[in-house]
Amino acid sequence: MSELIGDRQQRMDLLKHLILELHRGQAPDAVRPRLVQLLGKVPYDEVVQVEQQLIDEGLPHEDVLRLCDLHKQALDGVIDLAVAPAAPPGHPAHTFAQENHALAWELKELAQAFRQVETLAADADPADALASIRLRFNNLMDVEKHYLRKENLLFPCLEKRGITGPPTVMWGKHDETRALLATAQAALAEVAAAPTLDDLRDLLEPVLRPAAAAVDGMIVKETEILLPMCLDTLDAADWAAIMQGTEDYGYCLYAPEVAWWPEGMERAPVSVHADGVVRLSTGVFNVAQLEAVLGTIPFDITFVDHDDKVRFFSHGRERIFARSKAILGRDVKHCHPPKSVDTVQRILADFRAGRQEHARFWIQMDGKFISIEYFALRGPDRAYLGTLEVSQDLTAKRALTGQQRLLAYDAPEGASS
C-alpha cells in the first residue's frame, strides 16, 4: 500500500479530482479502484469538505445532486468511520441512527418479499406477497418524519456554520425519495383490487426497487457523512434546540427510551406559547384541540392539586356526577357527602405519603355500572402533584360479547331506529 497518500490536502485534492471525473462521465466502477489504491480509507469529514468546496467553486447543486448516487457507488466501503464520534442514547443523533436501523430492517423484509414475488410459481396467488410489500411500504412512509426533522431542525444548524452543500443535496434527495415512495404506494394501490403475479413483477424494477434503493441510499449518506459531521460540528445549544423541536414532528419507527438533555443546560419547561400551542413532553396541542380532547374522552376526570384544591374537571356531554365551576378552588373534602369525606381524606393522605398510587371503587347507580378510580399524580422526582379522579359508565362495555371487526357506526343521538 505504498501508494497511499498521507497528506490531508493531497488526499482532498485527489478526491476532488476523482469526483470531477465522475462529473465528466467516468463510471463509478472505474473510479473506485483508484480511490482504494491511492487513498485507502477516506475520513468522512474530508468527503464533506470536498463536496462543499465543489459547490463553493461553482459546481451547480443540481449536478451535485445528480452525481450523489455515483459518489455513493464510488465511495462505498471507502469512507473511514473509525474516528467518527458517538452519541449517547436519547441524543437526537442517536435517535436518527436508530431510526435508520429500523428503516434498514424494513428494507430487509421488503427485499425478502421481492424475492418471494420472483420465485412464486406462475399459477400462485400473489395476495400474501402483495400484502407484505404494501405493509413494508406503509412503514417506509414513516421516513417523512425523519426527513422533516433533518430539514427543519438539523440543516439550519449546519447552515449557520456555512455548511450548505450536504443539506442542499440531501434535501433534494429527500424530495426524490418522497416522489418514488408516493409512486410506489399509488402503483400498489392500483393493483390491489385484483392483483396478478405479472402485475407485481412488472412493478419491481421500474417502481418498487428504485423507491427502496432511495431510502437505503439516504441511510448510507447519513451514517457515513451527515451524522458524524453533525456530531463534530454542532454544540450543546444546537442539540438542545433540535431536541426541543423534535416533538413537533415525531419519530420514525422508533422512540427513544432515554430522555436526553445536554448536561448543565436548563430545559425549557412545558409551556403555552403565544400562538396558543401547549407544548408537552410527548407532543403538542393548541388550546382548542386540547379542549376538544378533554371534552370528548369517554369518561369524567377531575383534578385535585397537591393542596387538595379542585382545579379542573372535564366537560363531556354526559357527566356521571354533576360538576359546576363553583367547585374550582374549593377544598375537595367539601365536595363530597359527609359519609365519604373520611375515605377521600385517607386516599389523599396515602397518596401524599407515597404509601399508595391507586384506589378503585365500583357502584350500581340508576341501573348503571359505574367505575370510580383515583390515581396519584407525581413528577419526574416522584414528588406528589395531586390526585386524578376518573369516573366511567361501564354498563354498555360490560354487556359486550363476541367481537366486532367490521366498521359499524353508532346511530346519531336522537335518530329514530
Side-chain angles (χ1 to χ4, degrees):
M1 300 295 286
S2 59
E3 296 99 330
L4 290 183
I5 296 175
D7 179 77
R8 178 182 178 89
Q9 189 57 52
Q10 282 185 289
R11 280 200 315 270
M12 290 176 60
D13 289 344
L14 181 57
L15 179 59
K16 185 190 297 186
H17 171 73
L18 293 174
I19 288 177
L20 286 172
E21 287 196 4
L22 291 174
H23 179 55
R24 288 188 285 268
Q26 277 275 17
D29 289 344
V31 173
R32 178 180 158 74
R34 296 169 62 193
L35 274 169
V36 175
Q37 179 185 24
L38 295 172
L39 302 180
K41 288 287 187 179
V42 180
Y44 65 88
D45 59 327
E46 293 181 8
V47 179
V48 173
Q49 289 186 46
V50 166
E51 190 173 72
Q52 184 67 51
Q53 285 178 17
L54 288 169
I55 291 173
D56 292 344
E57 291 169 7
L59 187 64
H61 288 133
E62 294 77 10
D63 286 358
V64 177
L65 181 60
R66 182 174 56 82
L67 291 168
C68 197
D69 291 328
L70 297 179
H71 295 181
K72 175 182 176 295
Q73 294 174 48
L75 293 168
D76 188 24
V78 177
I79 297 176
D80 186 6
L81 295 175
V83 296
H91 188 287
H94 183 273
T95 298
F96 277 121
Q98 293 304 307
E99 290 176 333
N100 280 335
H101 288 317
L103 288 165
W105 186 88
E106 295 291 342
L107 291 172
K108 180 180 177 182
E109 294 295 305
L110 186 58
Q112 291 181 358
F114 289 164
R115 287 192 292 273
Q116 182 185 3
V117 169
E118 291 172 325
T119 57
L120 281 173
D123 59 348
D125 183 356
D128 288 345
L130 174 61
S132 178
I133 291 171
R134 293 192 77 186
L135 172 63
R136 298 306 161 200
F137 270 102
N138 284 343
N139 291 343
L140 289 178
M141 294 300 288
D142 217 39
V143 78
E144 177 67 8
K145 293 181 283 185
H146 183 95
Y147 290 169
L148 285 174
R149 295 205 322 275
K150 286 170 62 183
E151 292 164 356
N152 295 294
L153 301 176
L154 204 62
F155 290 171
C157 293
L158 293 173
E159 289 160 2
K160 285 190 302 184
R161 287 165 170 73
I163 301 173
T164 60
T168 300
V169 172
M170 284 193 173
W171 200 317
K173 298 304 292 184
H174 290 175
D175 289 341
E176 287 183 5
T177 304
R178 288 173 170 125
L180 289 167
L181 286 172
T183 299
Q185 286 279 69
L188 290 168
E190 187 173 338
V191 304
T196 68
L197 190 56
D198 286 342
D199 287 337
L200 279 180
R201 286 177 174 170
D202 288 345
L203 290 177
L204 283 179
E205 295 306 324
V207 177
L208 303 183
R209 280 203 169 99
V215 176
D216 180 64
M218 186 54 65
I219 291 172
V220 174
K221 294 177 182 73
E222 290 182 24
T223 301
E224 296 190 348
I225 302 294
L226 180 70
L227 295 178
M229 175 183 63
C230 288
L231 286 166
D232 269 345
T233 305
L234 305 186
D235 60 21
D238 292 319
W239 291 117
I242 292 167
M243 196 72 199
Q244 191 72 31
T246 292
E247 299 296 344
D248 291 346
Y249 300 97
Y251 299 101
C252 166
L253 303 177
Y254 167 84
E257 298 176 356
V258 177
W260 176 88
W261 192 253
E263 187 175 353
M265 290 191 67
E266 183 177 350
R267 182 162 193 166
V270 171
S271 60
V272 180
H273 289 233
D275 58 1
V277 173
V278 182
R279 189 178 302 280
L280 304 172
S281 60
T282 55
V284 297
F285 292 101
N286 64 39
V287 173
Q289 292 167 342
L290 184 56
E291 283 274 3
V293 168
L294 295 173
T296 304
I297 52 177
F299 42 81
D300 294 344
I301 62 174
T302 303
F303 168 59
V304 178
D305 71 11
H306 65 288
D307 292 324
D308 299 345
K309 306 295 184 185
V310 178
R311 294 300 179 189
F312 172 84
F313 63 91
S314 59
H315 45 86
R317 289 187 298 247
E318 296 183 14
R319 287 207 58 89
I320 295 169
F321 300 108
R323 297 279 191 271
S324 77
K325 292 183 180 180
I327 70 169
L328 297 177
R330 194 177 185 193
D331 195 305
V332 69
K333 69 183 179 183
H334 297 143
C335 300
H336 289 78
K339 64 181 180 180
S340 303
V341 170
D342 288 346
T343 300
V344 171
Q345 289 185 313
R346 178 180 173 184
I347 292 170
L348 296 175
D350 287 341
F351 285 1
R352 182 177 285 103
R355 292 187 292 267
Q356 298 293 335
E357 300 294 320
H358 180 216
R360 178 188 291 120
F361 304 88
W362 54 93
I363 61 174
Q364 301 284 343
M365 186 178 75
D366 300 330
K368 298 178 180 179
F369 183 86
I370 306 299
S371 166
I372 308 166
E373 297 182 85
Y374 297 88
F375 299 89
L377 303 179
R378 304 194 187 280
D381 58 357
R382 302 295 299 158
Y384 176 69
L385 302 178
T387 292
L388 187 70
E389 178 188 28
V390 180
S391 303
Q392 188 171 14
D393 179 359
L394 296 178
T395 308
K397 291 182 174 61
R398 290 184 85 208
L400 294 175
T401 59
Q403 58 183 344
Q404 178 171 303
R405 301 174 69 89
L406 301 177
L407 176 63
Y409 291 112
D410 293 336
E413 290 185 7
S416 57
S417 58

